[in-house]
Amino acid sequence: MDEKTISYSRSQISYVMMPNEANAAGNVHGGEIMKMMDTAAYVVARKHSRCNVVTARVDELEFHHPIYVGELVTCKAELVFVGRSSMEIHVTVLVEDLNCDMSTRTALTAYFTMIALDDEGRPTEVPRLIVETEDERANFEKGRERYEAHKKRRKKRK
Ligand SMILES: CC(C)(COP(=O)(O)OP(=O)(O)OC[C@H]1O[C@@H](n2cnc3c(N)ncnc32)[C@H](O)[C@@H]1OP(=O)(O)O)[C@@H](O)C(=O)NCCC(=O)NCCS
């Protein structure tokens, strides 16, 4: 099984929010943003694994700022940790008011865990993750801690 860097699959998607994605006051529905984040995480997981992937879990999703119709939303996504078939991806949502200079703000962030599946729909091994910087190494270790903690909790539930 080969190995890939974080930059190999790092991706971003952008979209201008439309009225059909908002309530009557112009606030964009949270679910629309979550769907975009899920798509960004999906792209990263697909590039890393080159397999079908599904979302297994979302951690630490918190909305810090509202998002309005007409704003440009960019989801930046990159791998943090890779297990055997699981891939944890950090997604950052940046929002820009297209009427103003210097208006970009981080509206929310979250961790998505995606699982690679083989042709029979079973979890399958993905390439190992190459970490190249001190930050990447530190984030990888934190990802490993979350992975172990989730695994323990699932074992207890069984
Ligand atoms: C995700 C799924 C494939 C896991 O299947 P499973 O039989 O429990 O698989 P396993 O126990 O062998 O675990 C496989 C991997 O998934 C990880 N995993 C399973 N459930 C998880 C969860 N709730 N959170 C985080 N990781 C999870 C395991 O840690 C393991 O990772 P590893 O291979 O890196 O060690 C299965 O639960 C599933 O299909 N869920 C629905 C996913 C889906 O349809 N999402 C879209 C919703 S619309």
Side-chain angles (χ1 to χ4, degrees):
M1 179 64 44
D2 59 339
E3 45 185 30
K4 290 178 183 172
T5 59
I6 291 172
S7 57
Y8 175 84
S9 56
R10 185 177 289 133
S11 301
Q12 69 176 55
I13 54 175
S14 295
Y15 182 70
V16 178
M17 287 298 143
M18 292 295 159
N20 62 315
E21 280 129 7
N23 66 18
N27 295 74
V28 172
H29 297 300
E32 300 288 348
I33 304 300
M34 286 154 69
K35 186 174 177 212
M36 252 185 101
M37 295 172 85
D38 191 49
T39 303
Y42 171 86
V43 170
V44 169
R46 286 277 284 150
K47 280 188 181 178
H48 185 77
S49 66
R50 301 294 178 194
C51 289
N52 181 28
V53 300
V54 288
T55 312
R57 146 174 235 108
V58 182
D59 287 300
E60 298 181 28
L61 190 142
E62 207 175 321
F63 290 86
H64 302 298
H65 300 287
I67 300 173
Y68 298 104
V69 169
E71 291 189 313
L72 177 68
V73 172
T74 299
C75 294
K76 294 187 168 198
E78 65 176 21
L79 273 162
V80 173
F81 173 81
V82 165
R84 183 185 168 275
S85 65
S86 64
M87 295 161 277
E88 190 189 57
I89 293 139
H90 188 240
V91 182
T92 304
V93 179
L94 299 174
V95 180
E96 193 178 337
D97 178 346
L98 294 172
N99 293 310
C100 312
D101 293 328
M102 315 282 285
S103 67
T104 305
R105 60 195 192 275
T106 300
L108 66 151
T109 56
Y111 294 95
F112 283 70
T113 302
M114 318 293 287
I115 313 300
L117 303 178
D118 65 16
D119 292 344
E120 272 78 50
R122 289 178 309 233
T124 188
E125 193 171 353
V126 300
R128 281 175 359 100
L129 190 63
I130 301 171
V131 288
E132 297 178 297
T133 67
E134 276 312 305
D135 278 354
E136 288 179 358
R137 205 177 314 283
N139 290 335
F140 185 91
E141 282 314 313
K142 284 182 200 150
R144 188 204 302 279
E145 284 167 20
R146 282 188 293 272
Y147 165 84
E148 297 293 351
H150 295 324
K151 226 174 175 174
K152 248 188 217 161
R153 273 206 293 275
R154 281 200 309 282
K155 237 185 205 164
K156 263 190 198 164
R157 278 208 303 264
K158 280 183 183 167

